[in-house]
Amino acid sequence: MSFDPSTFWEALFSWPFLRGALLTLGLTIAAHLTAILIALPLAVVLNGPPSVLRKLITAYVGFFRAVPTLLQLLFVWNALPQIFPIFREEWFTPFLAAWIALSLNESAYQVEINRSALSAVDGGQMAAGQAIGLKKSHIYRYIMLPQALRVALPPTMNEFITLLKLTSLASIISLQELMTVTQINVARTFQFSEYYAVALTWYLVMVYSLMGLQKLVERRFRWSSRTEAAALAETRRSRGW
Amino acid sequence: MISLRNVNKNYGTFHALKDVSLEIAQGEKVVICGPSGSGKSTLIRCVNHLEPHDSGEIRLDGLEVGAARDVLKVRRTAGMVFQNFNLFPHLTVLENCILAPKLTGAVSDREARKMAEDYLARVHILDQAWKYPIQLSGGQQQRVAIARALCMKPKVMLFDEPTSALDPEMVGEVLDVMGELASEGMTMICVTHEMGFARKVADRVVFMDAGRIVEIAPPETFFAAPQSDRARAFLSQISH
Ligand SMILES: Nc1ncnc2c1ncn2[C@@H]1O[C@H](COP(=O)(O)OP(=O)(O)O)[C@@H](O)[C@H]1O
Ligand SMILES: [Mg+2]
Protein backbone atom coordinates (compact mmCIF):
# COMPACT_ATOMS: atom_id res chain seq x y z
CA MET A 1 0.00 0.00 0.00
CA SER A 2 1.65 3.18 -1.12
CA PHE A 3 -0.95 5.76 -0.20
CA ASP A 4 0.55 8.39 2.07
CA PRO A 5 -2.29 10.05 4.01
CA SER A 6 -0.15 12.92 5.21
CA THR A 7 0.74 13.87 1.63
CA PHE A 8 -2.96 13.74 0.80
CA TRP A 9 -4.11 15.91 3.70
CA GLU A 10 -1.29 18.39 3.27
CA ALA A 11 -2.01 18.81 -0.43
CA LEU A 12 -5.78 18.95 0.05
CA PHE A 13 -5.64 22.25 1.91
CA SER A 14 -2.46 23.58 0.32
CA TRP A 15 -2.71 26.91 -1.44
CA PRO A 16 -1.92 25.66 -4.98
CA PHE A 17 -4.71 23.06 -4.81
CA LEU A 18 -7.16 25.45 -3.18
CA ARG A 19 -6.32 28.03 -5.78
CA GLY A 20 -6.69 25.43 -8.52
CA ALA A 21 -10.11 24.40 -7.24
CA LEU A 22 -11.20 28.02 -6.96
CA LEU A 23 -10.00 28.74 -10.49
CA THR A 24 -11.90 25.71 -11.76
CA LEU A 25 -15.05 26.78 -9.97
CA GLY A 26 -14.64 30.46 -10.86
CA LEU A 27 -14.03 29.69 -14.53
CA THR A 28 -17.04 27.39 -14.64
CA ILE A 29 -19.36 29.93 -13.01
CA ALA A 30 -18.08 32.79 -15.15
CA ALA A 31 -18.31 30.81 -18.39
CA HIS A 32 -21.71 29.37 -17.59
CA LEU A 33 -23.24 32.69 -16.55
CA THR A 34 -21.89 34.30 -19.70
CA ALA A 35 -23.22 31.40 -21.76
CA ILE A 36 -26.68 31.79 -20.21
CA LEU A 37 -26.65 35.54 -20.86
CA ILE A 38 -25.73 34.94 -24.50
CA ALA A 39 -28.23 32.12 -24.83
CA LEU A 40 -31.28 33.87 -23.37
CA PRO A 41 -31.96 36.43 -26.10
CA LEU A 42 -31.05 33.84 -28.73
CA ALA A 43 -33.60 31.45 -27.25
CA VAL A 44 -36.26 34.16 -27.23
CA VAL A 45 -35.64 34.79 -30.94
CA LEU A 46 -35.65 31.07 -31.72
CA ASN A 47 -38.99 30.80 -29.98
CA GLY A 48 -40.45 33.56 -32.15
CA PRO A 49 -41.55 33.57 -35.79
CA PRO A 50 -39.18 32.43 -38.57
CA SER A 51 -36.66 35.07 -39.58
CA VAL A 52 -33.19 35.53 -41.02
CA LEU A 53 -31.94 36.02 -37.47
CA ARG A 54 -33.31 32.64 -36.52
CA LYS A 55 -31.35 30.97 -39.34
CA LEU A 56 -28.17 32.72 -38.21
CA ILE A 57 -28.66 31.54 -34.64
CA THR A 58 -29.26 27.98 -35.79
CA ALA A 59 -25.99 28.18 -37.73
CA TYR A 60 -24.20 29.58 -34.66
CA VAL A 61 -25.47 26.74 -32.50
CA GLY A 62 -24.51 24.12 -35.06
CA PHE A 63 -21.03 25.57 -35.45
CA PHE A 64 -20.11 25.60 -31.78
CA ARG A 65 -21.50 22.15 -31.25
CA ALA A 66 -19.54 20.74 -34.16
CA VAL A 67 -16.10 22.08 -33.23
CA PRO A 68 -14.27 20.22 -30.44
CA THR A 69 -13.97 22.26 -27.25
CA LEU A 70 -10.22 21.66 -27.19
CA LEU A 71 -9.87 23.17 -30.64
CA GLN A 72 -11.90 26.21 -29.56
CA LEU A 73 -9.65 26.71 -26.54
CA LEU A 74 -6.50 26.43 -28.60
CA PHE A 75 -7.90 28.70 -31.25
CA VAL A 76 -8.80 31.48 -28.82
CA TRP A 77 -5.47 31.23 -27.00
CA ASN A 78 -3.09 30.77 -29.95
CA ALA A 79 -4.77 31.89 -33.15
CA LEU A 80 -6.74 34.90 -31.95
CA PRO A 81 -3.59 36.89 -31.02
CA GLN A 82 -2.18 36.14 -34.49
CA ILE A 83 -5.26 37.55 -36.15
CA PHE A 84 -5.96 40.46 -33.81
CA PRO A 85 -2.89 42.20 -32.35
CA ILE A 86 -4.97 43.51 -29.46
CA PHE A 87 -4.97 39.99 -27.96
CA ARG A 88 -1.15 39.98 -27.80
CA GLU A 89 -1.12 42.20 -24.75
CA GLU A 90 -0.59 41.37 -21.08
CA TRP A 91 -4.25 41.40 -20.10
CA PHE A 92 -5.06 38.46 -22.34
CA THR A 93 -4.51 35.71 -19.76
CA PRO A 94 -5.21 31.97 -20.04
CA PHE A 95 -8.18 32.51 -17.74
CA LEU A 96 -9.67 35.06 -20.10
CA ALA A 97 -9.03 32.86 -23.12
CA ALA A 98 -10.66 29.88 -21.43
CA TRP A 99 -13.56 32.05 -20.31
CA ILE A 100 -14.22 33.24 -23.88
CA ALA A 101 -13.85 29.80 -25.46
CA LEU A 102 -15.96 27.95 -22.91
CA SER A 103 -18.67 30.65 -22.85
CA LEU A 104 -19.16 30.48 -26.60
CA ASN A 105 -19.06 26.71 -26.58
CA GLU A 106 -21.50 26.38 -23.69
CA SER A 107 -23.88 29.02 -25.04
CA ALA A 108 -24.61 26.75 -28.00
CA TYR A 109 -25.90 24.05 -25.65
CA GLN A 110 -27.65 26.46 -23.34
CA VAL A 111 -29.63 27.98 -26.24
CA GLU A 112 -31.40 24.71 -26.83
CA ILE A 113 -32.12 24.24 -23.13
CA ASN A 114 -33.53 27.75 -22.82
CA ARG A 115 -35.52 27.47 -26.03
CA SER A 116 -37.22 24.26 -25.07
CA ALA A 117 -37.87 25.58 -21.54
CA LEU A 118 -39.52 28.69 -22.97
CA SER A 119 -41.62 26.68 -25.39
CA ALA A 120 -42.68 24.41 -22.52
CA VAL A 121 -44.44 27.38 -20.92
CA ASP A 122 -48.12 27.30 -21.90
CA GLY A 123 -48.87 29.52 -24.89
CA GLY A 124 -51.74 31.13 -23.00
CA GLN A 125 -49.28 32.73 -20.56
CA MET A 126 -47.87 35.05 -23.19
CA ALA A 127 -51.37 35.95 -24.37
CA ALA A 128 -52.50 36.60 -20.79
CA GLY A 129 -49.51 38.87 -20.19
CA GLN A 130 -50.24 40.77 -23.38
CA ALA A 131 -53.93 41.02 -22.60
CA ILE A 132 -53.30 42.82 -19.29
CA GLY A 133 -51.19 45.35 -21.17
CA LEU A 134 -47.67 44.34 -20.15
CA LYS A 135 -44.77 45.10 -22.43
CA LYS A 136 -42.66 42.25 -23.85
CA SER A 137 -39.74 42.71 -21.46
CA HIS A 138 -42.05 42.55 -18.44
CA ILE A 139 -43.82 39.48 -19.82
CA TYR A 140 -40.52 37.68 -20.14
CA ARG A 141 -39.11 38.90 -16.85
CA TYR A 142 -42.15 38.26 -14.65
CA ILE A 143 -44.15 35.56 -16.44
CA MET A 144 -42.16 33.50 -18.93
CA LEU A 145 -38.73 33.23 -17.31
CA PRO A 146 -39.83 32.23 -13.80
CA GLN A 147 -41.81 29.37 -15.30
CA ALA A 148 -39.18 28.43 -17.86
CA LEU A 149 -36.52 28.33 -15.15
CA ARG A 150 -38.28 25.43 -13.52
CA VAL A 151 -37.99 23.39 -16.73
CA ALA A 152 -34.47 24.57 -17.49
CA LEU A 153 -32.93 23.98 -14.07
CA PRO A 154 -32.16 20.24 -14.18
CA PRO A 155 -30.55 20.21 -17.65
CA THR A 156 -28.73 23.45 -16.81
CA MET A 157 -27.26 21.80 -13.73
CA ASN A 158 -26.11 18.89 -15.89
CA GLU A 159 -24.43 21.36 -18.20
CA PHE A 160 -22.74 23.05 -15.26
CA ILE A 161 -21.26 19.77 -14.08
CA THR A 162 -20.10 18.90 -17.60
CA LEU A 163 -18.56 22.34 -17.91
CA LEU A 164 -16.85 22.01 -14.53
CA LYS A 165 -15.08 18.94 -15.83
CA LEU A 166 -14.38 20.50 -19.24
CA THR A 167 -12.37 23.28 -17.57
CA SER A 168 -9.60 20.71 -17.10
CA LEU A 169 -8.97 21.10 -20.84
CA ALA A 170 -7.64 24.55 -20.03
CA SER A 171 -4.52 22.92 -18.62
CA ILE A 172 -3.34 22.78 -22.25
CA ILE A 173 -3.18 26.57 -22.33
CA SER A 174 -1.39 26.51 -18.96
CA LEU A 175 -4.23 27.75 -16.80
CA GLN A 176 -3.37 26.70 -13.24
CA GLU A 177 -6.70 25.05 -12.57
CA LEU A 178 -7.22 21.94 -10.45
CA MET A 179 -6.04 19.33 -12.97
CA THR A 180 -2.99 21.35 -13.99
CA VAL A 181 -1.88 21.64 -10.36
CA THR A 182 -2.47 17.93 -9.93
CA GLN A 183 -0.40 17.01 -12.97
CA ILE A 184 2.46 19.25 -11.88
CA ASN A 185 2.61 17.60 -8.48
CA VAL A 186 2.35 14.11 -9.89
CA ALA A 187 5.13 14.78 -12.37
CA ARG A 188 7.31 16.09 -9.58
CA THR A 189 6.77 13.31 -7.03
CA PHE A 190 5.17 10.34 -8.84
CA GLN A 191 2.70 10.11 -5.94
CA PHE A 192 -0.19 9.45 -8.27
CA SER A 193 -2.86 8.18 -5.88
CA GLU A 194 -2.42 10.94 -3.28
CA TYR A 195 -2.69 13.83 -5.71
CA TYR A 196 -5.40 12.25 -7.85
CA ALA A 197 -7.37 11.70 -4.65
CA VAL A 198 -7.01 15.41 -3.83
CA ALA A 199 -8.36 16.40 -7.25
CA LEU A 200 -11.17 13.87 -6.96
CA THR A 201 -12.13 15.19 -3.52
CA TRP A 202 -12.37 18.77 -4.72
CA TYR A 203 -14.41 17.85 -7.79
CA LEU A 204 -16.79 15.87 -5.58
CA VAL A 205 -17.11 18.71 -3.07
CA MET A 206 -17.92 21.16 -5.85
CA VAL A 207 -20.46 18.94 -7.59
CA TYR A 208 -22.24 17.91 -4.40
CA SER A 209 -22.42 21.49 -3.10
CA LEU A 210 -24.00 22.42 -6.36
CA MET A 211 -26.56 19.67 -6.17
CA GLY A 212 -27.46 20.95 -2.70
CA LEU A 213 -27.90 24.40 -4.16
CA GLN A 214 -30.17 22.96 -6.85
CA LYS A 215 -32.41 21.46 -4.15
CA LEU A 216 -32.70 24.89 -2.54
CA VAL A 217 -33.61 26.56 -5.82
CA GLU A 218 -36.18 23.88 -6.57
CA ARG A 219 -38.04 24.86 -3.42
CA ARG A 220 -39.04 27.98 -5.29
CA PHE A 221 -41.07 25.86 -7.71
CA ARG A 222 -43.43 24.39 -5.14
CA TRP A 223 -46.30 26.24 -6.79
CA SER A 224 -46.31 23.56 -9.51
CA SER A 225 -47.55 20.78 -7.23
CA ARG A 226 -50.92 20.97 -5.54
CA THR A 227 -49.88 19.68 -2.12
CA GLU A 228 -46.64 21.63 -1.96
CA ALA A 229 -48.37 24.78 -3.20
CA ALA A 230 -50.78 24.51 -0.28
CA ALA A 231 -47.88 24.31 2.17
CA LEU A 232 -46.10 27.21 0.48
CA ALA A 233 -49.24 29.35 0.49
CA GLU A 234 -49.73 28.67 4.20
CA THR A 235 -46.13 29.57 5.01
CA ARG A 236 -46.41 32.78 3.07
CA ARG A 237 -49.71 33.68 4.66
CA SER A 238 -48.36 33.11 8.18
CA ARG A 239 -45.35 35.27 7.43
CA GLY A 240 -47.55 37.91 5.86
CA TRP A 241 -45.82 38.15 2.48
CA MET B 1 -67.01 52.28 -27.87
CA ILE B 2 -65.89 49.46 -30.16
CA SER B 3 -66.08 49.75 -33.90
CA LEU B 4 -65.00 47.30 -36.58
CA ARG B 5 -65.22 48.31 -40.23
CA ASN B 6 -64.57 45.79 -42.99
CA VAL B 7 -62.02 43.91 -40.94
CA ASN B 8 -60.14 41.11 -42.65
CA LYS B 9 -57.75 38.67 -41.08
CA ASN B 10 -55.70 35.91 -42.68
CA TYR B 11 -53.70 33.11 -41.13
CA GLY B 12 -51.31 32.40 -43.96
CA THR B 13 -53.60 31.60 -46.85
CA PHE B 14 -56.59 30.96 -44.60
CA HIS B 15 -59.11 33.81 -44.58
CA ALA B 16 -60.35 33.81 -40.97
CA LEU B 17 -62.31 37.08 -40.88
CA LYS B 18 -64.11 38.34 -43.97
CA ASP B 19 -65.24 41.97 -44.08
CA VAL B 20 -66.44 42.00 -40.52
CA SER B 21 -68.21 45.19 -39.43
CA LEU B 22 -69.70 45.74 -35.99
CA GLU B 23 -70.49 48.79 -33.84
CA ILE B 24 -70.82 48.41 -30.10
CA ALA B 25 -71.99 51.29 -27.93
CA GLN B 26 -70.78 52.08 -24.45
CA GLY B 27 -72.45 49.83 -21.90
CA GLU B 28 -73.71 47.45 -24.54
CA LYS B 29 -73.43 43.67 -24.10
CA VAL B 30 -72.92 41.57 -27.19
CA VAL B 31 -72.86 37.80 -27.29
CA ILE B 32 -71.09 36.14 -30.21
CA CYS B 33 -71.96 32.60 -31.15
CA GLY B 34 -71.40 30.32 -34.08
CA PRO B 35 -69.88 26.98 -35.02
CA SER B 36 -66.36 26.06 -33.98
CA GLY B 37 -63.78 27.59 -36.33
CA SER B 38 -66.10 30.37 -37.49
CA GLY B 39 -63.72 33.10 -36.30
CA LYS B 40 -65.23 34.13 -32.95
CA SER B 41 -61.96 34.00 -31.03
CA THR B 42 -60.13 35.64 -33.88
CA LEU B 43 -62.60 38.52 -33.85
CA ILE B 44 -62.25 39.34 -30.18
CA ARG B 45 -58.48 38.79 -30.25
CA CYS B 46 -58.30 41.39 -32.99
CA VAL B 47 -60.13 43.89 -30.79
CA ASN B 48 -57.29 43.99 -28.24
CA HIS B 49 -54.63 43.37 -30.87
CA LEU B 50 -53.60 39.94 -29.63
CA GLU B 51 -53.93 39.17 -33.32
CA PRO B 52 -53.11 41.90 -35.82
CA HIS B 53 -55.78 42.34 -38.48
CA ASP B 54 -54.78 42.69 -42.11
CA SER B 55 -57.19 45.29 -43.40
CA GLY B 56 -60.13 47.36 -42.32
CA GLU B 57 -60.34 49.51 -39.23
CA ILE B 58 -60.82 48.70 -35.57
CA ARG B 59 -61.34 51.46 -33.02
CA LEU B 60 -61.59 51.04 -29.28
CA ASP B 61 -62.60 53.98 -27.10
CA GLY B 62 -61.23 56.35 -29.72
CA LEU B 63 -57.92 54.50 -30.08
CA GLU B 64 -56.93 53.04 -33.41
CA VAL B 65 -56.22 49.35 -32.80
CA GLY B 66 -53.06 48.39 -34.63
CA ALA B 67 -51.33 51.75 -34.37
CA ALA B 68 -47.95 50.84 -32.90
CA ARG B 69 -47.87 53.54 -30.25
CA ASP B 70 -51.30 52.62 -28.89
CA VAL B 71 -50.91 48.85 -28.54
CA LEU B 72 -50.44 48.82 -24.76
CA LYS B 73 -53.13 51.47 -24.26
CA VAL B 74 -55.56 49.39 -26.30
CA ARG B 75 -54.82 46.30 -24.24
CA ARG B 76 -55.27 48.20 -20.99
CA THR B 77 -58.60 49.51 -22.24
CA ALA B 78 -59.87 46.00 -22.89
CA GLY B 79 -59.77 43.27 -20.27
CA MET B 80 -59.77 39.72 -21.59
CA VAL B 81 -60.87 36.43 -20.08
CA PHE B 82 -59.76 33.21 -21.74
CA GLN B 83 -61.31 29.80 -22.03
CA ASN B 84 -58.40 28.23 -20.13
CA PHE B 85 -58.13 30.97 -17.49
CA ASN B 86 -54.41 31.45 -18.11
CA LEU B 87 -53.65 32.46 -14.55
CA PHE B 88 -49.95 32.80 -13.75
CA PRO B 89 -49.27 29.56 -11.86
CA HIS B 90 -46.15 30.82 -10.09
CA LEU B 91 -47.99 33.73 -8.48
CA THR B 92 -50.64 33.69 -5.77
CA VAL B 93 -54.16 34.87 -6.53
CA LEU B 94 -53.37 38.28 -5.10
CA GLU B 95 -50.07 38.52 -6.99
CA ASN B 96 -51.86 37.58 -10.22
CA CYS B 97 -54.10 40.58 -9.71
CA ILE B 98 -51.51 43.17 -8.70
CA LEU B 99 -48.81 42.25 -11.21
CA ALA B 100 -49.99 44.49 -14.03
CA PRO B 101 -51.10 47.49 -11.93
CA LYS B 102 -47.71 47.45 -10.19
CA LEU B 103 -45.64 47.03 -13.34
CA THR B 104 -47.50 49.66 -15.29
CA GLY B 105 -46.73 51.98 -12.42
CA ALA B 106 -50.08 53.71 -12.21
CA VAL B 107 -50.55 52.98 -8.50
CA SER B 108 -48.52 52.35 -5.36
CA ASP B 109 -48.11 48.81 -3.98
CA ARG B 110 -50.63 49.56 -1.25
CA GLU B 111 -53.23 50.92 -3.63
CA ALA B 112 -52.70 48.03 -6.04
CA ARG B 113 -53.26 45.59 -3.21
CA LYS B 114 -56.32 47.39 -1.93
CA MET B 115 -57.81 47.46 -5.41
CA ALA B 116 -57.05 43.78 -6.00
CA GLU B 117 -58.75 42.90 -2.73
CA ASP B 118 -61.81 44.92 -3.73
CA TYR B 119 -62.13 43.12 -7.05
CA LEU B 120 -61.46 39.72 -5.51
CA ALA B 121 -64.27 40.46 -3.07
CA ARG B 122 -66.53 41.39 -5.95
CA VAL B 123 -65.95 38.03 -7.64
CA HIS B 124 -66.50 36.39 -4.24
CA ILE B 125 -63.06 34.88 -3.85
CA LEU B 126 -61.20 37.19 -1.48
CA ASP B 127 -60.84 34.35 1.03
CA GLN B 128 -58.59 32.51 -1.44
CA ALA B 129 -56.26 35.43 -2.10
CA TRP B 130 -53.20 33.70 -0.64
CA LYS B 131 -53.58 30.53 -2.63
CA TYR B 132 -51.78 29.47 -5.78
CA PRO B 133 -53.89 28.83 -8.89
CA ILE B 134 -53.24 25.09 -8.79
CA GLN B 135 -55.14 24.94 -5.48
CA LEU B 136 -58.33 26.37 -6.97
CA SER B 137 -61.22 24.81 -8.88
CA GLY B 138 -61.84 25.85 -12.48
CA GLY B 139 -64.71 28.12 -11.54
CA GLN B 140 -62.62 29.83 -8.88
CA GLN B 141 -59.72 30.25 -11.29
CA GLN B 142 -61.96 31.85 -13.86
CA ARG B 143 -63.32 34.31 -11.31
CA VAL B 144 -59.76 35.24 -10.35
CA ALA B 145 -59.03 35.75 -14.04
CA ILE B 146 -61.97 38.16 -14.22
CA ALA B 147 -60.69 40.05 -11.16
CA ARG B 148 -57.20 40.18 -12.66
CA ALA B 149 -58.57 41.75 -15.83
CA LEU B 150 -60.68 44.24 -13.86
CA CYS B 151 -57.63 45.40 -11.90
CA MET B 152 -56.45 47.24 -15.01
CA LYS B 153 -59.72 49.21 -14.85
CA PRO B 154 -60.71 48.33 -18.40
CA LYS B 155 -63.57 50.08 -20.17
CA VAL B 156 -64.46 46.95 -22.11
CA MET B 157 -64.39 43.28 -21.19
CA LEU B 158 -63.81 40.53 -23.76
CA PHE B 159 -64.75 36.96 -22.83
CA ASP B 160 -63.70 34.03 -24.99
CA GLU B 161 -65.85 31.04 -24.05
CA PRO B 162 -65.26 31.66 -20.34
CA THR B 163 -67.29 28.65 -19.21
CA SER B 164 -66.42 26.07 -21.90
CA ALA B 165 -63.60 24.50 -19.92
CA LEU B 166 -65.60 24.26 -16.69
CA ASP B 167 -67.36 21.35 -15.09
CA PRO B 168 -71.12 21.95 -15.39
CA GLU B 169 -71.58 22.66 -11.67
CA MET B 170 -69.14 25.58 -11.88
CA VAL B 171 -70.62 27.33 -14.88
CA GLY B 172 -73.21 29.14 -12.79
CA GLU B 173 -70.81 30.88 -10.42
CA VAL B 174 -68.85 32.36 -13.33
CA LEU B 175 -71.96 33.43 -15.26
CA ASP B 176 -73.29 35.07 -12.09
CA VAL B 177 -70.17 37.18 -11.75
CA MET B 178 -70.39 38.15 -15.42
CA GLY B 179 -74.04 39.06 -14.96
CA GLU B 180 -73.17 41.31 -12.01
CA LEU B 181 -70.49 42.98 -14.09
CA ALA B 182 -72.99 43.54 -16.88
CA SER B 183 -75.53 45.09 -14.55
CA GLU B 184 -72.88 47.58 -13.39
CA GLY B 185 -72.75 48.91 -16.93
CA MET B 186 -69.58 47.30 -18.29
CA THR B 187 -69.32 47.14 -22.07
CA MET B 188 -68.92 43.45 -22.92
CA ILE B 189 -68.28 41.14 -25.83
CA CYS B 190 -68.79 37.57 -24.86
CA VAL B 191 -68.22 34.51 -27.00
CA THR B 192 -70.44 31.88 -25.46
CA HIS B 193 -72.98 29.21 -26.22
CA GLU B 194 -74.74 29.71 -22.90
CA MET B 195 -78.15 30.64 -24.26
CA GLY B 196 -79.62 31.41 -20.85
CA PHE B 197 -76.92 33.95 -20.23
CA ALA B 198 -77.36 35.46 -23.70
CA ARG B 199 -81.12 35.83 -23.19
CA LYS B 200 -80.71 37.46 -19.82
CA VAL B 201 -77.73 39.74 -20.39
CA ALA B 202 -77.15 40.38 -24.09
CA ASP B 203 -78.48 43.41 -25.94
CA ARG B 204 -77.62 41.74 -29.24
CA VAL B 205 -76.51 38.35 -30.43
CA VAL B 206 -74.00 38.15 -33.27
CA PHE B 207 -73.99 34.92 -35.22
CA MET B 208 -70.84 34.08 -37.14
CA ASP B 209 -70.10 31.41 -39.70
CA ALA B 210 -67.01 30.81 -41.84
CA GLY B 211 -65.38 34.13 -40.92
CA ARG B 212 -68.46 36.28 -41.59
CA ILE B 213 -71.09 37.88 -39.44
CA VAL B 214 -74.23 36.24 -40.76
CA GLU B 215 -76.82 37.69 -38.45
CA ILE B 216 -77.18 40.30 -35.71
CA ALA B 217 -80.38 40.39 -33.67
CA PRO B 218 -81.69 40.92 -30.14
CA PRO B 219 -81.59 37.60 -28.26
CA GLU B 220 -85.35 37.09 -28.12
CA THR B 221 -85.59 37.47 -31.91
CA PHE B 222 -82.47 35.46 -32.62
CA PHE B 223 -83.41 32.45 -30.54
CA ALA B 224 -87.11 32.47 -31.44
CA ALA B 225 -86.82 33.19 -35.13
CA PRO B 226 -83.31 33.07 -36.61
CA GLN B 227 -83.26 34.55 -40.10
CA SER B 228 -80.56 32.47 -41.75
CA ASP B 229 -80.55 28.73 -42.42
CA ARG B 230 -77.12 28.42 -40.91
CA ALA B 231 -78.22 30.01 -37.66
CA ARG B 232 -81.22 27.69 -37.54
CA ALA B 233 -79.02 24.67 -38.13
CA PHE B 234 -76.59 25.86 -35.48
CA LEU B 235 -79.30 26.48 -32.89
CA SER B 236 -80.90 23.12 -33.43
CA GLN B 237 -77.48 21.50 -32.91
CA ILE B 238 -76.62 23.17 -29.63
CA SER B 239 -80.08 22.79 -28.13
CA HIS B 240 -79.64 19.01 -28.09
N1 LIG C 1 -52.90 30.99 -35.02
C1 LIG C 1 -53.59 30.43 -36.03
N2 LIG C 1 -52.96 30.00 -37.13
C2 LIG C 1 -53.64 29.45 -38.15
N3 LIG C 1 -54.96 29.28 -38.19
C3 LIG C 1 -55.66 29.69 -37.12
C4 LIG C 1 -55.01 30.29 -35.98
N4 LIG C 1 -55.97 30.60 -35.09
C5 LIG C 1 -57.13 30.22 -35.62
N5 LIG C 1 -56.96 29.67 -36.84
C6 LIG C 1 -58.02 29.17 -37.72
O1 LIG C 1 -58.93 30.22 -37.94
C7 LIG C 1 -60.24 29.73 -37.90
C8 LIG C 1 -61.03 30.50 -36.88
O2 LIG C 1 -60.52 30.21 -35.60
P1 LIG C 1 -61.17 30.78 -34.28
O3 LIG C 1 -61.27 32.25 -34.38
O4 LIG C 1 -60.37 30.24 -33.15
O5 LIG C 1 -62.60 30.10 -34.32
P2 LIG C 1 -63.67 29.95 -33.17
O6 LIG C 1 -63.21 30.70 -31.98
O7 LIG C 1 -64.92 30.49 -33.77
O8 LIG C 1 -63.80 28.49 -32.92
C9 LIG C 1 -60.17 28.25 -37.59
O9 LIG C 1 -60.34 27.54 -38.79
C10 LIG C 1 -58.79 28.06 -37.06
O10 LIG C 1 -58.28 26.81 -37.42
MG1 LIG D 1 -62.67 30.00 -30.05
Side-chain angles (χ1 to χ4, degrees):
Chain A
M1 178 74 191
S2 66
F3 188 87
D4 176 9
S6 69
T7 307
F8 170 78
W9 287 111
E10 220 168 274
L12 188 62
F13 296 109
S14 69
W15 177 237
F17 274 95
L18 276 178
R19 187 172 170 276
L22 283 175
L23 260 178
T24 292
L25 189 63
L27 176 59
T28 311
I29 292 174
H32 204 178
L33 282 181
T34 312
I36 291 171
L37 281 182
I38 298 173
L40 256 182
L42 301 190
V44 169
V45 174
L46 276 188
N47 225 21
S51 64
V52 181
L53 201 55
R54 235 172 73 165
K55 287 218 173 70
L56 286 175
I57 293 170
T58 313
Y60 169 92
V61 169
F63 179 83
F64 281 103
R65 279 170 135 172
V67 182
T69 314
L70 188 58
L71 179 55
Q72 290 176 30
L73 265 171
L74 289 171
F75 184 90
V76 171
W77 179 239
N78 295 322
L80 220 51
Q82 283 189 339
I83 304 169
F84 304 104
I86 184 171
F87 288 105
R88 283 175 212 159
E89 289 164 28
E90 274 296 293
W91 57 264
F92 193 57
T93 59
F95 185 87
L96 218 55
W99 183 357
I100 294 173
L102 292 177
S103 298
L104 292 174
N105 179 253
E106 181 55 35
S107 70
Y109 294 93
Q110 197 68 41
V111 164
E112 181 49 29
I113 292 178
N114 292 2
R115 190 207 58 75
S116 61
L118 277 174
S119 69
V121 176
D122 186 277
Q125 294 290 306
M126 173 67 82
Q130 289 174 325
I132 48 177
L134 298 182
K135 48 183 185 181
K136 266 255 153 70
S137 59
H138 279 161
I139 295 176
Y140 273 101
R141 166 72 184 77
Y142 294 98
I143 299 171
M144 302 300 283
L145 290 183
Q147 296 182 61
L149 183 62
R150 178 177 148 255
V151 182
L153 187 66
T156 301
M157 279 300 179
N158 278 339
E159 281 303 311
F160 188 90
I161 291 169
T162 306
L163 193 58
L164 187 83
K165 294 180 290 193
L166 269 182
T167 54
S168 62
L169 288 178
S171 63
I172 201 150
I173 61 170
S174 67
L175 180 73
Q176 300 280 316
E177 48 71 56
L178 189 51
M179 275 319 291
T180 313
V181 176
T182 309
Q183 296 283 41
I184 291 171
N185 279 283
V186 164
R188 194 169 47 79
T189 62
F190 293 104
Q191 289 180 292
F192 292 97
S193 49
E194 290 83 351
Y195 290 117
Y196 286 165
V198 171
L200 172 73
T201 307
W202 279 120
Y203 279 116
L204 287 180
V205 166
M206 289 189 276
V207 169
Y208 277 101
S209 316
L210 224 89
M211 282 160 61
L213 201 68
Q214 178 177 0
K215 282 274 167 303
L216 279 182
V217 178
E218 273 169 357
R219 284 177 60 79
R220 296 191 52 160
F221 304 132
R222 281 176 293 167
W223 48 261
S224 59
S225 125
R226 190 165 303 196
T227 45
E228 291 186 37
L232 178 60
E234 271 316 308
T235 319
R236 292 193 58 180
R237 194 227 294 261
S238 68
R239 291 189 197 159
W241 46 263
Chain B
M1 189 54 132
I2 306 170
S3 143
L4 295 90
R5 296 219 178 110
N6 302 314
V7 172
N8 283 279
K9 164 77 189 170
N10 299 287
Y11 292 113
T13 57
F14 182 77
H15 200 168
L17 289 182
K18 299 169 187 159
D19 273 325
V20 168
S21 297
L22 184 64
E23 299 284 332
I24 298 174
Q26 181 164 4
E28 204 182 357
K29 293 102 183 83
V30 169
V31 159
I32 302 181
C33 62
S36 169
S38 57
K40 309 178 296 293
S41 298
T42 304
L43 191 158
I44 67 169
R45 291 167 72 93
C46 282
V47 171
N48 68 350
H49 205 58
L50 281 189
E51 295 286 355
H53 56 286
D54 296 315
S55 68
E57 188 192 55
I58 305 179
R59 298 191 78 85
L60 177 65
D61 192 33
L63 298 166
E64 186 192 339
V65 177
R69 67 192 147 78
D70 285 342
V71 169
L72 295 183
K73 252 193 239 165
V74 161
R75 291 183 179 153
R76 289 167 197 172
T77 304
M80 183 170 233
V81 174
F82 300 87
Q83 183 172 350
N84 297 317
F85 331 133
N86 294 344
L87 292 182
F88 307 130
H90 60 301
L91 302 178
T92 63
V93 165
L94 193 68
E95 288 168 339
N96 263 274
C97 292
I98 59 183
L99 182 68
K102 262 170 68 175
L103 287 180
T104 52
V107 291
S108 70
D109 283 11
R110 269 185 70 129
E111 288 167 328
R113 187 172 165 156
K114 174 82 180 60
M115 181 172 69
E117 285 173 348
D118 285 348
Y119 281 119
L120 286 170
R122 274 170 60 178
V123 300
H124 317 296
I125 199 145
L126 182 56
D127 55 330
Q128 317 275 342
W130 284 96
K131 291 194 175 169
Y132 283 89
I134 197 171
Q135 300 175 259
L136 305 183
S137 72
Q140 292 174 320
Q141 288 193 47
Q142 194 60 298
R143 286 185 282 138
V144 172
I146 294 172
R148 177 178 71 180
L150 291 174
C151 279
M152 287 307 281
K153 302 225 181 285
K155 297 184 174 165
V156 168
M157 283 289 283
L158 310 170
F159 294 87
D160 191 358
E161 304 206 33
T163 57
S164 301
L166 297 177
D167 292 335
E169 72 270 21
M170 292 168 190
V171 170
E173 65 191 62
V174 171
L175 291 180
D176 287 348
V177 164
M178 291 167 59
E180 290 162 29
L181 198 59
S183 64
E184 289 161 19
M186 178 65 81
T187 309
M188 291 168 51
I189 305 184
C190 183
V191 177
T192 183
H193 294 158
E194 292 292 335
M195 294 310 147
F197 175 80
R199 275 204 179 86
K200 206 163 74 189
V201 170
D203 299 307
R204 285 184 292 164
V205 175
V206 171
F207 175 73
M208 290 186 71
D209 188 42
R212 283 184 205 283
I213 292 182
V214 178
E215 200 168 330
I216 305 182
E220 23 331 328
T221 323
F222 178 76
F223 293 118
Q227 296 300 300
S228 60
D229 291 342
R230 280 179 289 183
R232 265 193 295 278
F234 171 74
L235 283 175
S236 75
Q237 257 172 19
I238 59 166
S239 58
H240 291 320

